[in-house]
Each structure stands twice: as C-alpha cells, then as structure tokens.
Amino acid sequence: MCGGQAVLSHQSAAQLWGIRETKTGIQGEQDRPPVVHVSVPGVKSHRRSGIRIHRRRDLEEVDRTRYERIPVTSPGRTLLDLASLLDPIELEAAVNAADKLGLVEPDSLRADIEEHRGVIGLPALRRVLDRDTFALTDSELERRFLRLLRRARLPKPETQQRVNGFRVDFLWAAARVIVETDGLRYHRTPSQQAKDRRRDQALVAAGFIVLRFTHAQVRYDPEHVAATLRAVLDRS
C-alpha cells in the first residue's frame, strides 16, 4: 500500500513490539481515530487515510526487520524514533520494557545508537541511557522510587539483583540493605503476602535489612520513604 520499502515505525512499531501500550500521538496528543505510523524512503508517496507517512533518508538496512512477517523498524531504531516524541520518563519506561522482553540490551544499545549521529532522537535517548541515571526496573512504581531517591539525594542502589537466591528490587550491598516496592497488582493477595514474608525472613536471617514500601507510600508520602531509608542507610 505504501511501497515495497515501507516499514511500520514510531508508535505503531512500539505497539507491535510490545514496548509501548498506549496509543499516544505525536508530542503526547491522542491519535483519534488510531493512526498507523509508516516510514518510507525520502521520495514522493501518496497520502493514505489513517496512515501517517514519515518520509526519511536516514533508515539503514540494519534498522529494518520483520516481526510476524510485518516489515517494521528494529527495536533499537524504534526507541530512537520514540526519543523525539516521548518525555524522559516515558522513554525510560519504553527502554525498560524492551529490555524486559529481551528485545534490546542497554549496554549494546548505547553503542548502537552512536552509529546514528544526526538522528533527531539521539541526544534524548543518550541521556536516558546514561549510566549514572539509568537503571533497569520491572515496573513504573520502581521507576518512581528511583526518581524519589534522586530527588532526596540518596545513594543509588543496584537494581534487580539476586541475593541468596532471591531477586530483589533494590540493593545497597555495602550497607546490606534491601528495598522492595509493593505494587497494587502483585502484592495484595494473601498467598503473595505470605510468600513475601517468608522471603523477607530468609533475607533478614542472612544478615540483610529489608524494607518494604507500598505504592501509596512511594506515590503520596515520598518524604516518609526517603527519611526512613536515609535513617537506615546512615545507621548501617
């Protein structure tokens, strides 16, 4: 319909890869009705109803692939395109989603994007991937917790580490402090709560201090969270 060199791109590619669920339009506007984003070589192409055509000359062969037989930009190139459209928090969430799905590896992505100098999204994606600020997380709650730590100027933890056979959200290894953030979805059933308690008890028995903060505390009472964690880290 759009030519043999056309590929799904931008928000539509992100939705296909599963790294961007919301149907967000360019610069945060809602596409109504839903618009399909397609990139084509920088040549003339006919307008199509319901399709936003991006004419571009910077797509390399390595930026093109297929997913379930659909021509689409690669996950890395998709993130690079999103970087010019999303705010830093949304972009970091997309990178985390791509990593969790095994589509990208952040260290490799850092190197790969440097091959795309001059692409408009490069500076924004480079900032998000900066080693001093970027951390792998499994949820928006965990990303919110990391932002809380930065605002409170608390030491940056390691994330998603395995400790004594358990995967933990946040670890300050030298202080032997672990923080778990309990989201609304995964920690409210009795069986999950019992499992969490056994897990925490095993970690405490191994010599770690384990703190749990709820979704409500992280979102609505960040000062309490920061003060509690600061007191524990200072003591440790």
Side-chain angles (χ1 to χ4, degrees), residues 59-78:
L59 275 181
E60 304 291 340
E61 195 60 35
V62 70
D63 297 325
R64 304 167 180 268
T65 187
R66 286 180 177 267
Y67 180 75
E68 296 183 352
R69 299 186 180 182
I70 300 173
V72 62
T73 50
S74 67
R77 182 60 204 232
T78 300

Side-chain angles (χ1 to χ4, degrees), residues 137-155:
T137 65
D138 269 352
S139 71
E140 172 56 32
L141 175 60
E142 293 172 13
R143 289 187 288 275
R144 186 184 293 271
F145 181 76
L146 285 171
R147 295 195 295 272
L148 182 158
L149 296 180
R150 289 196 287 268
R151 289 194 298 269
R153 298 186 179 181
L154 286 164

Side-chain angles (χ1 to χ4, degrees), residues 148-230:
L148 182 158
L149 296 180
R150 289 196 287 268
R151 289 194 298 269
R153 298 186 179 181
L154 286 164
K156 182 182 176 183
E158 297 177 82
T159 59
Q160 303 302 323
Q161 298 296 305
R162 294 200 71 83
V163 179
N164 281 35
F166 299 102
R167 189 177 184 185
V168 301
D169 292 342
F170 304 100
L171 170 68
W172 288 262
R176 297 185 71 79
V177 171
I178 290 169
V179 165
E180 297 290 327
T181 50
D182 292 350
L184 295 175
R185 182 179 303 173
Y186 298 111
H187 296 272
R188 60 186 178 185
T189 65
S191 61
Q192 181 62 58
Q193 290 172 5
K195 183 179 178 181
D196 288 342
R197 282 194 293 271
R198 289 193 298 270
R199 184 175 184 272
D200 292 352
Q201 289 159 4
L203 290 168
V204 169
F208 290 89
I209 298 171
V210 181
L211 298 174
R212 281 191 177 270
F213 296 112
T214 65
H215 174 273
Q217 287 177 313
V218 172
R219 184 166 186 177
Y220 301 114
D221 198 5
E223 293 82 7
H224 166 76
V225 173
T228 301
L229 181 56
R230 178 176 285 109

Side-chain angles (χ1 to χ4, degrees), residues 36 54 57 75 96 101 104 118 131 138 156 182 219 224:
V36 176
H54 302 264
R57 300 180 183 276
N96 268 285
L101 291 169
V104 300
R131 287 181 176 84
D138 269 352
K156 182 182 176 183
D182 292 350
R219 184 166 186 177
H224 166 76

Side-chain angles (χ1 to χ4, degrees), residues 56-115:
R56 53 212 305 202
R57 300 180 183 276
D58 59 0
L59 275 181
E60 304 291 340
E61 195 60 35
V62 70
D63 297 325
R64 304 167 180 268
T65 187
R66 286 180 177 267
Y67 180 75
E68 296 183 352
R69 299 186 180 182
I70 300 173
V72 62
T73 50
S74 67
R77 182 60 204 232
T78 300
L79 290 168
L80 190 56
D81 291 336
L82 289 178
S84 64
L85 308 175
L86 305 181
D87 65 38
I89 293 173
E90 293 173 320
L91 182 57
E92 185 174 36
V95 174
N96 268 285
D99 174 79
K100 188 175 180 180
L101 291 169
L103 299 173
V104 300
E105 199 285 316
D107 285 332
S108 298
L109 184 60
R110 288 186 187 98
D112 292 343
I113 63 174
E114 295 304 325
E115 301 297 321

